Amino acid sequence: MAYVLGIDLGTSSLKGLMLDEHGKAVASAQKDYPLIHPKSGYSEQDPGQWILACEYVLDKLKAEVADFTAQLQGISFSGQMHSLVVLDEDNNVLRNAILWNDVRTTKQCKSITDAFGDELLAITKNIALEGFTLPKILWIQENEPEIWEKVRHMLLPKDYLGYWMTGTMHMDYSDAAGTLLLDVEKKEWSKAILEKFRIPETHLPELIVSSGMTGSLRSELANRFGFEKEVKIFAGGADNACAAIGAGIVDAETGMASIGTSGVFLAFEDSAEQDYQGKLHLFNHTIENGYYSMGVTLAAGHSLNWFKDTFAPDSTFEELLEGMDAIKPGADGLLFTPYIVGERTPHVDSRIRGSFIGMDTNHTIKHFGRAVLEGITFSLKDSQVLMEQVAGKSFKRIVSVGGGAKNPDWLQIQADVFDAEIACLEVEQGPGLGAAMLAAVGLGWFPTVTACADVFVAYKDVVQPIPENVVAYEKAYALYTQVYGATKELCHALAKE
């Protein structure tokens, strides 16, 4: 039996998922590593920790699977997007990686917007936000010129790990699309952006499709781990793109609602021509010549965690959500907006804050709990509505992953709010599954990612919308959409105090 390994390089840990030719999970391993916060708003990581974590995962899989070193054929990656790794001429890391969730670059984002305006959106299909890579590059130029003078290579996290394995430097289109340096339609580095911000194109790696082979495992590493045959390495993709193919989001009629700390509503796009005016992200997909659009709720699961920790710290999530089905859709007139750390889609607003609207003496903690679940789902529906209005999409099925897939009442809320069939994954393996699928396609086990998904992805727990609930939620959502405009001025004023 031949194996592939998907490595998911996340923000807090590196996970390895090993699959056989039938898509069956054979083994997995995980190693955590720390975040570094030198100042408020700064978020960094030592790339050396990623290598140590990868060595640990490979050693653990070798110990658990008898024929791991004999039958592993390919490795590919999923990686945290946007985070910047800079190397010198000898390929040594010059400083800690600046991560996607670092917010020090507000000034640089304004400079980018002022310099390029609508042209940036036309080229990259995205607006300048603190999470993207280009603002981080400008921050180093302005604040650490002695380091910038030494920079000769710039990579994203998974690509640095790929370099460590192969000795070659590449970046796939799905990750490159999150740098604000890629011409998304032409699939090439934007010379206009590079020239404007004095970034040599030689500092950037070769672009490649996600299932493209970047090399073979270096002989030193092959000997270190005892691999008996050549292990081929494939480029991999951005974490959201890998999660999407791991959930079977390979056609325009299937969407994905992912609820973790943040929330994502994601859909497949046939082309980069849709003009969402920056209200949604539009990136190249891991599927060759494919794209995906994505809206983000900054505090999805984070809102539920905050609610529990603040109002029911001694309860489990199961206890907190028990009996939720007894509360009518719309929580008997109680609305929650999940803007507790600001919002991304459709309101790019760091100063907006959350609210409960419509409280009365009849409301219990169960009403508040249901309102939180509904508010998170309404926020994701904002992205669905944008896709339907701008691109004319019609979703027959939405795949729910993450925390929202773990509670049956929340699944029903999603079906009713989205007015679509909700499906869960038989085995939710996250971005690591998508990475493994890219290795399987790269090895030629399948002709396309879509063909691989037909074998590797299976669903369960299909939930259908209830017509009368759909009607109730249409009314509640219409009210929800008015809350932002009604509270924006007040929240901005309070933020200045």
Side-chain angles (χ1 to χ4, degrees):
M1 184 67 70
Y3 303 125
V4 288
L5 175 62
I7 293 177
D8 177 25
L9 196 167
T11 310
S12 58
S13 67
L14 183 142
K15 303 172 185 176
L17 175 65
M18 185 173 162
L19 302 176
D20 66 19
E21 295 163 280
H22 306 293
K24 178 183 177 183
V26 176
S28 63
Q30 175 176 333
K31 179 67 174 177
D32 296 342
Y33 35 67
L35 284 166
I36 301 167
H37 300 291
K39 292 182 181 179
S40 176
Y42 285 34
S43 183
E44 301 183 351
Q45 221 152 40
D46 174 9
Q49 292 290 324
W50 305 333
I51 291 174
L52 292 175
C54 190
E55 289 180 322
Y56 172 88
V57 164
L58 291 172
D59 280 330
K60 196 165 189 301
L61 292 173
K62 177 181 176 181
E64 290 184 5
V65 182
D67 58 350
F68 174 67
T69 56
Q71 298 302 328
L72 182 68
Q73 292 191 2
I75 299 174
S76 191
F77 312 93
S78 162
Q80 49 168 295
M81 296 180 70
H82 314 307
S83 304
L84 175 64
V85 184
V86 290
L87 311 177
D88 65 14
E89 62 183 357
D90 296 319
N91 302 330
N92 297 312
V93 174
L94 286 166
R95 68 175 323 282
N96 288 334
I98 305 177
L99 300 194
W100 63 273
N101 56 353
D102 186 291
V103 294
R104 75 183 75 176
T105 57
T106 301
K107 174 188 171 185
Q108 287 72 31
C109 289
K110 185 178 186 304
S111 297
I112 294 167
T113 301
D114 290 345
F116 263 85
D118 293 339
E119 189 180 358
L120 179 76
L121 186 58
I123 295 171
T124 70
K125 305 302 178 182
N126 292 281
I127 60 175
L129 297 170
E130 287 84 353
F132 286 97
T133 315
L134 176 58
K136 305 179 197 310
I137 296 171
L138 301 192
W139 187 91
I140 292 177
Q141 287 180 347
E142 295 170 22
N143 294 275
E144 297 177 343
E146 71 287 354
I147 287 179
W148 177 247
E149 288 180 4
K150 298 177 182 178
V151 172
R152 295 297 178 271
H153 304 285
M154 295 184 289
L155 297 171
L156 299 181
K158 74 171 191 353
D159 306 312
Y160 178 69
L161 198 59
Y163 160 71
W164 172 71
M165 285 192 176
T166 64
T168 67
M169 295 186 188
H170 296 80
M171 188 182 298
D172 84 295
Y173 296 110
S174 73
D175 233 358
T179 63
L180 281 187
L181 296 170
L182 185 75
D183 187 315
V184 167
E185 285 190 81
K186 293 181 180 179
K187 296 201 294 186
E188 61 185 33
W189 298 119
S190 169
K191 288 181 172 54
I193 295 175
L194 295 178
E195 289 173 3
K196 178 66 178 179
F197 297 110
R198 307 181 313 282
I199 300 170
E201 189 169 350
T202 54
H203 286 13
L204 298 171
E206 179 183 346
L207 292 164
I208 190 171
V209 297
S210 298
S211 58
M213 182 176 169
T214 61
S216 299
L217 191 67
R218 291 188 293 119
S219 58
E220 302 95 308
L221 295 178
N223 293 333
R224 151 78 170 82
F225 296 103
F227 287 107
E228 301 173 21
K229 301 176 184 176
E230 177 190 23
V231 179
K232 296 180 179 180
I233 311 299
F234 302 92
D239 52 5
N240 283 309
C242 286
I245 62 172
I249 312 303
V250 295
D251 63 70
E253 294 182 337
T254 305
M256 182 179 78
S258 174
I259 299 173
T261 301
S262 61
V264 166
F265 192 95
L266 184 150
F268 180 85
E269 299 281 352
D270 292 314
S271 75
E273 295 179 1
Q274 297 298 346
D275 184 10
Y276 291 115
Q277 300 180 344
K279 292 184 176 181
L280 293 172
H281 298 305
L282 184 64
F283 297 126
N284 301 75
H285 209 331
T286 49
I287 298 171
E288 195 166 352
N289 298 319
Y291 303 85
Y292 67 97
S293 52
M294 183 180 80
V296 177
T297 295
L298 290 181
H302 185 32
S303 291
L304 183 59
N305 288 335
W306 163 81
F307 177 72
K308 176 191 170 304
D309 292 343
T310 304
F311 298 105
D314 297 326
S315 298
T316 65
F317 282 107
E318 291 75 14
E319 291 170 341
L320 180 64
L321 301 180
E322 185 180 4
M324 202 69 64
D325 57 334
I327 307 296
K328 295 178 181 179
D332 288 332
L334 183 62
L335 283 174
F336 171 72
T337 58
Y339 307 147
I340 59 174
V341 294
E343 192 52 301
R344 175 74 59 81
T345 305
H347 315 293
V348 181
D349 190 340
S350 62
R351 293 186 293 167
I352 192 67
R353 288 297 178 264
S355 58
F356 283 103
I357 302 290
M359 291 178 282
D360 67 31
T361 57
N362 294 314
H363 290 137
T364 67
I365 193 168
K366 297 298 182 183
H367 288 87
F368 281 88
R370 185 173 183 109
V372 169
L373 299 187
E374 291 176 345
I376 295 167
T377 311
F378 287 153
S379 180
L380 292 171
K381 186 175 179 65
D382 281 339
S383 298
Q384 178 194 14
V385 169
L386 275 171
M387 293 173 186
E388 291 174 343
Q389 290 179 343
V390 175
K393 291 186 177 298
S394 179
F395 296 100
K396 291 184 177 180
R397 167 183 283 183
I398 294 171
V399 181
S400 180
V401 300
K406 293 179 171 61
N407 180 277
D409 294 329
W410 201 351
L411 287 172
Q412 187 63 61
I413 289 171
Q414 290 175 68
D416 297 335
V417 170
F418 298 139
D419 191 14
E421 174 183 288
I422 301 294
C424 299
L425 295 169
E426 188 74 42
V427 180
E428 190 178 318
Q429 301 286 6
L433 173 57
M437 290 168 63
L438 292 171
V441 173
L443 286 165
W445 292 4
F446 302 91
T448 64
V449 171
T450 301
C452 183
D454 288 340
V455 176
F456 277 38
V457 181
Y459 301 102
K460 65 171 183 177
D461 295 342
V462 174
V463 180
Q464 300 294 339
I466 299 170
E468 55 266 34
N469 290 358
V470 171
V471 173
Y473 278 128
E474 286 175 350
K475 296 176 181 178
Y477 175 69
L479 296 172
Y480 169 89
T481 60
Q482 298 178 45
V483 177
Y484 174 79
T487 60
K488 175 182 177 180
E489 185 176 346
L490 177 59
C491 288
H492 286 197
L494 289 170
K496 293 179 181 179
E497 294 298 327

